[in-house]
mmCIF file of all heavy atoms in Angstrom:
data_model
loop_
_atom_site.group_PDB
_atom_site.id
_atom_site.type_symbol
_atom_site.label_atom_id
_atom_site.label_comp_id
_atom_site.label_asym_id
_atom_site.label_seq_id
_atom_site.Cartn_x
_atom_site.Cartn_y
_atom_site.Cartn_z
ATOM 1 N N TRP A 583 146.299 312.668 64.414
ATOM 2 C CA TRP A 583 147.550 313.359 64.678
ATOM 3 C C TRP A 583 148.736 312.429 64.382
ATOM 4 O O TRP A 583 148.766 311.287 64.776
ATOM 5 C CB TRP A 583 147.596 313.800 66.134
ATOM 6 C CG TRP A 583 148.732 314.714 66.458
ATOM 7 C CD1 TRP A 583 149.954 314.372 66.943
ATOM 8 C CD2 TRP A 583 148.742 316.131 66.329
ATOM 9 N NE1 TRP A 583 150.740 315.468 67.124
ATOM 10 C CE2 TRP A 583 150.021 316.573 66.761
ATOM 11 C CE3 TRP A 583 147.818 317.070 65.904
ATOM 12 C CZ2 TRP A 583 150.369 317.916 66.770
ATOM 13 C CZ3 TRP A 583 148.170 318.405 65.916
ATOM 14 C CH2 TRP A 583 149.428 318.821 66.343
ATOM 15 N N GLY A 584 149.695 312.926 63.669
ATOM 16 C CA GLY A 584 150.871 312.120 63.364
ATOM 17 C C GLY A 584 150.768 311.334 62.081
ATOM 18 O O GLY A 584 151.782 310.842 61.574
ATOM 19 N N GLN A 585 149.565 311.190 61.552
ATOM 20 C CA GLN A 585 149.415 310.499 60.275
ATOM 21 C C GLN A 585 149.720 311.478 59.139
ATOM 22 O O GLN A 585 149.159 312.567 59.098
ATOM 23 C CB GLN A 585 147.996 309.947 60.118
ATOM 24 C CG GLN A 585 147.631 308.883 61.138
ATOM 25 C CD GLN A 585 146.357 308.165 60.767
ATOM 26 O OE1 GLN A 585 146.108 307.900 59.594
ATOM 27 N NE2 GLN A 585 145.543 307.844 61.766
ATOM 28 N N GLU A 586 150.616 311.061 58.265
ATOM 29 C CA GLU A 586 150.973 311.920 57.148
ATOM 30 C C GLU A 586 150.589 311.247 55.839
ATOM 31 O O GLU A 586 150.069 310.137 55.831
ATOM 32 C CB GLU A 586 152.471 312.258 57.186
ATOM 33 C CG GLU A 586 152.848 313.149 58.368
ATOM 34 C CD GLU A 586 154.197 313.810 58.177
ATOM 35 O OE1 GLU A 586 154.671 313.862 57.016
ATOM 36 O OE2 GLU A 586 154.784 314.268 59.175
ATOM 37 N N ASP A 587 150.852 311.940 54.767
ATOM 38 C CA ASP A 587 150.457 311.464 53.453
ATOM 39 C C ASP A 587 151.567 311.782 52.475
ATOM 40 O O ASP A 587 152.358 312.715 52.682
ATOM 41 C CB ASP A 587 149.148 312.153 53.030
ATOM 42 C CG ASP A 587 148.592 311.590 51.745
ATOM 43 O OD1 ASP A 587 147.854 310.606 51.804
ATOM 44 O OD2 ASP A 587 148.914 312.142 50.692
ATOM 45 N N ALA A 588 151.611 311.021 51.382
ATOM 46 C CA ALA A 588 152.658 311.249 50.385
ATOM 47 C C ALA A 588 152.596 312.662 49.830
ATOM 48 O O ALA A 588 153.614 313.244 49.441
ATOM 49 C CB ALA A 588 152.527 310.229 49.259
ATOM 50 N N LYS A 589 151.401 313.232 49.780
ATOM 51 C CA LYS A 589 151.269 314.593 49.259
ATOM 52 C C LYS A 589 151.983 315.610 50.143
ATOM 53 O O LYS A 589 152.355 316.691 49.704
ATOM 54 C CB LYS A 589 149.783 314.968 49.145
ATOM 55 C CG LYS A 589 149.004 314.177 48.104
ATOM 56 C CD LYS A 589 147.564 314.632 48.055
ATOM 57 C CE LYS A 589 146.780 313.888 46.990
ATOM 58 N NZ LYS A 589 147.241 314.193 45.631
ATOM 59 N N LEU A 590 152.163 315.286 51.432
ATOM 60 C CA LEU A 590 152.774 316.230 52.359
ATOM 61 C C LEU A 590 154.292 316.174 52.343
ATOM 62 O O LEU A 590 154.956 316.992 52.954
ATOM 63 C CB LEU A 590 152.278 315.965 53.785
ATOM 64 C CG LEU A 590 150.767 316.107 53.996
ATOM 65 C CD1 LEU A 590 150.395 315.733 55.421
ATOM 66 C CD2 LEU A 590 150.318 317.518 53.687
ATOM 67 N N SER A 591 154.863 315.158 51.668
ATOM 68 C CA SER A 591 156.317 315.040 51.647
ATOM 69 C C SER A 591 156.960 316.051 50.710
ATOM 70 O O SER A 591 158.156 316.318 50.798
ATOM 71 C CB SER A 591 156.729 313.622 51.223
ATOM 72 O OG SER A 591 156.248 313.336 49.912
ATOM 73 N N ALA A 592 156.165 316.610 49.775
ATOM 74 C CA ALA A 592 156.716 317.588 48.831
ATOM 75 C C ALA A 592 156.918 318.923 49.529
ATOM 76 O O ALA A 592 156.169 319.292 50.426
ATOM 77 C CB ALA A 592 155.791 317.737 47.642
ATOM 78 N N GLY A 593 157.919 319.638 49.118
ATOM 79 C CA GLY A 593 158.154 320.968 49.658
ATOM 80 C C GLY A 593 159.049 320.937 50.882
ATOM 81 O O GLY A 593 159.473 319.892 51.372
ATOM 82 N N LYS A 594 159.346 322.110 51.391
ATOM 83 C CA LYS A 594 160.226 322.213 52.553
ATOM 84 C C LYS A 594 159.451 321.897 53.825
ATOM 85 O O LYS A 594 158.292 322.251 53.986
ATOM 86 C CB LYS A 594 160.802 323.628 52.629
ATOM 87 C CG LYS A 594 161.645 323.993 51.422
ATOM 88 C CD LYS A 594 162.192 325.400 51.569
ATOM 89 C CE LYS A 594 163.048 325.778 50.355
ATOM 90 N NZ LYS A 594 163.578 327.149 50.458
ATOM 91 N N ASN A 595 160.132 321.212 54.763
ATOM 92 C CA ASN A 595 159.482 320.824 55.999
ATOM 93 C C ASN A 595 159.061 322.034 56.836
ATOM 94 O O ASN A 595 158.183 321.929 57.696
ATOM 95 C CB ASN A 595 160.422 319.933 56.821
ATOM 96 C CG ASN A 595 160.650 318.598 56.134
ATOM 97 O OD1 ASN A 595 159.801 318.129 55.404
ATOM 98 N ND2 ASN A 595 161.815 317.998 56.384
ATOM 99 N N ALA A 596 159.701 323.177 56.612
ATOM 100 C CA ALA A 596 159.392 324.358 57.423
ATOM 101 C C ALA A 596 158.071 324.996 57.017
ATOM 102 O O ALA A 596 157.562 325.875 57.710
ATOM 103 C CB ALA A 596 160.515 325.381 57.301
ATOM 104 N N VAL A 597 157.497 324.566 55.909
ATOM 105 C CA VAL A 597 156.243 325.146 55.432
ATOM 106 C C VAL A 597 155.068 324.337 55.984
ATOM 107 O O VAL A 597 154.976 323.141 55.724
ATOM 108 C CB VAL A 597 156.191 325.169 53.896
ATOM 109 C CG1 VAL A 597 154.846 325.719 53.415
ATOM 110 C CG2 VAL A 597 157.337 326.004 53.354
ATOM 111 N N PRO A 598 154.163 324.950 56.747
ATOM 112 C CA PRO A 598 152.989 324.216 57.247
ATOM 113 C C PRO A 598 152.115 323.757 56.071
ATOM 114 O O PRO A 598 151.644 324.582 55.282
ATOM 115 C CB PRO A 598 152.255 325.246 58.104
ATOM 116 C CG PRO A 598 153.284 326.273 58.450
ATOM 117 C CD PRO A 598 154.206 326.331 57.269
ATOM 118 N N ALA A 599 151.963 322.479 55.936
ATOM 119 C CA ALA A 599 151.187 321.927 54.822
ATOM 120 C C ALA A 599 150.116 320.996 55.355
ATOM 121 O O ALA A 599 150.220 320.439 56.457
ATOM 122 C CB ALA A 599 152.110 321.174 53.850
ATOM 123 N N ALA A 600 149.050 320.838 54.551
ATOM 124 C CA ALA A 600 147.919 320.008 54.968
ATOM 125 C C ALA A 600 147.313 319.333 53.750
ATOM 126 O O ALA A 600 147.443 319.806 52.624
ATOM 127 C CB ALA A 600 146.869 320.864 55.685
ATOM 128 N N ALA A 601 146.637 318.212 54.004
ATOM 129 C CA ALA A 601 145.953 317.474 52.948
ATOM 130 C C ALA A 601 144.605 317.029 53.465
ATOM 131 O O ALA A 601 144.454 316.655 54.630
ATOM 132 C CB ALA A 601 146.785 316.273 52.505
ATOM 133 N N TRP A 602 143.630 317.083 52.586
ATOM 134 C CA TRP A 602 142.267 316.668 52.946
ATOM 135 C C TRP A 602 142.110 315.159 52.780
ATOM 136 O O TRP A 602 142.652 314.562 51.866
ATOM 137 C CB TRP A 602 141.240 317.372 52.071
ATOM 138 C CG TRP A 602 141.042 318.824 52.361
ATOM 139 C CD1 TRP A 602 141.531 319.879 51.645
ATOM 140 C CD2 TRP A 602 140.298 319.389 53.435
ATOM 141 N NE1 TRP A 602 141.130 321.065 52.201
ATOM 142 C CE2 TRP A 602 140.368 320.793 53.306
ATOM 143 C CE3 TRP A 602 139.568 318.847 54.499
ATOM 144 C CZ2 TRP A 602 139.744 321.651 54.209
ATOM 145 C CZ3 TRP A 602 138.950 319.704 55.389
ATOM 146 C CH2 TRP A 602 139.029 321.093 55.241
ATOM 147 N N ARG A 603 141.333 314.591 53.664
ATOM 148 C CA ARG A 603 140.914 313.188 53.560
ATOM 149 C C ARG A 603 139.497 313.081 54.107
ATOM 150 O O ARG A 603 138.950 314.029 54.669
ATOM 151 C CB ARG A 603 141.852 312.271 54.363
ATOM 152 C CG ARG A 603 143.235 312.118 53.766
ATOM 153 C CD ARG A 603 143.196 311.333 52.469
ATOM 154 N NE ARG A 603 144.525 311.207 51.863
ATOM 155 C CZ ARG A 603 145.050 312.047 51.023
ATOM 156 N NH1 ARG A 603 144.368 313.137 50.663
ATOM 157 N NH2 ARG A 603 146.237 311.852 50.501
#
Side-chain angles (χ1 to χ4, degrees):
W583 190 266
Q585 296 193 38
E586 293 197 18
D587 187 87
K589 293 181 178 294
L590 299 177
S591 61
K594 298 180 180 179
N595 293 332
V597 177
W602 287 103
R603 290 291 179 271

